[in-house]
Amino acid sequence: MFSFLKWFKTPPLAMQKFLIVGLGNIGQQYENTRHNIGFAVVDALAKKHEVDFESVKSALKTQFRHKGKTFVLIKPTTLMNRSGKAVRYWALKERIPLQNILVITDDLHLPFGSIRIRTKGSPGGHNGLKDVEDQLNTPHYSRLRFGIGQEEGSGNQVDFVLGEWNAEEADQLPERLKQCAAAVLSFGLQGPAKTMNAFNGT
């Protein structure tokens, strides 16, 4: 079976390159939904660094350099549940090692706007993360979960996740996106341990 951990001997320059994956669904009807927060974070990074996405194999892709590091941003253009295909393809294509992959996604069980970064873990019922794990053949990849904070018993999960931000959330979202963008840059510049200490729970 394919093992991402063994797919190549990591060249020194590869350690300076990071694959930042925003999970979401393509289509105007999904743009402002909670499930598309991964897209929103990488969009914020692209805007901040004045780069534009282009349509490539299985994704919208762009990149920028910051303090000697290269950040490759992708938004898979497959359905959310097939996101792993793009992650695997572009990690291999760009020769980015497993430890330099960061996947950004929504989390129902975290309060709105909170951040939780982990270097491994279970999909936790998230089909996009499950497919990433299946395609990489390992749970040992980093993920940034953004809390979307559904209250217990507040209604259908699917409707909530695919629903748009309410007015209060939309008002706070720009500041939370800045915090997520800062966490992504920290992941590349400072490493996951220092980033988790600085940003988890913020």
Side-chain angles (χ1 to χ4, degrees):
M1 182 177 288
F2 172 85
S3 174
F4 196 92
L5 293 171
K6 299 177 180 178
W7 78 273
F8 72 89
K9 293 181 179 179
T10 306
L13 287 178
M15 297 306 296
Q16 306 302 312
K17 186 183 287 189
F18 297 83
L19 182 65
I20 311 301
V21 183
L23 295 189
N25 285 307
I26 291 292
Q28 188 174 0
Q29 68 270 36
Y30 298 111
E31 282 186 6
N32 296 312
T33 62
R34 298 178 178 93
H35 212 30
N36 267 38
I37 188 62
F39 278 14
V41 173
V42 294
D43 282 342
L45 278 162
K47 182 177 181 180
K48 175 180 175 62
H49 294 275
E50 300 180 333
V51 293
D52 297 317
F53 286 93
E54 62 175 337
S55 182
V56 292
K57 183 177 176 65
S58 301
L60 298 175
K61 174 180 172 285
T62 191
Q63 67 182 53
F64 62 86
R65 285 185 60 78
H66 181 69
K67 295 186 178 180
K69 309 286 187 178
T70 299
F71 293 82
V72 179
L73 312 178
I74 66 168
K75 298 189 289 185
T77 51
T78 55
L79 293 173
M80 170 73 84
N81 295 356
R82 298 297 297 162
S83 299
K85 177 182 177 181
V87 179
R88 173 174 161 166
Y89 177 83
W90 285 105
L92 293 170
K93 178 76 171 177
E94 296 284 342
R95 298 186 65 80
I96 296 174
L98 183 67
Q99 62 266 37
N100 285 9
I101 297 173
L102 179 64
V103 179
I104 305 166
T105 187
D106 58 298
D107 193 312
L108 274 167
H109 307 295
L110 295 176
F112 168 77
S114 64
I115 295 171
R116 180 177 295 167
I117 299 164
R118 294 286 185 268
T119 56
K120 62 180 180 179
S122 72
H126 194 290
N127 290 327
L129 293 179
K130 183 179 186 301
D131 193 59
V132 172
E133 180 175 321
D134 289 345
Q135 288 290 323
L136 299 183
N137 195 32
T138 178
H140 294 270
Y141 66 90
S142 295
R143 70 287 311 271
L144 185 159
R145 294 177 181 268
F146 182 99
I148 60 173
Q150 183 183 30
E151 294 181 7
E152 188 174 350
S154 62
N156 183 283
Q157 283 191 351
V158 173
D159 289 344
F160 180 80
V161 168
L162 294 178
E164 295 190 356
W165 306 104
N166 63 37
E168 183 179 356
E169 292 166 340
D171 185 57
Q172 297 177 42
L173 195 58
E175 185 59 37
R176 303 314 303 158
L177 289 175
K178 287 182 182 178
Q179 186 76 342
C180 284
V184 171
L185 295 179
S186 175
F187 177 81
L189 299 176
Q190 304 293 329
K194 289 184 178 180
T195 302
M196 288 188 285
N197 287 336
F199 289 92
N200 279 356
T202 61

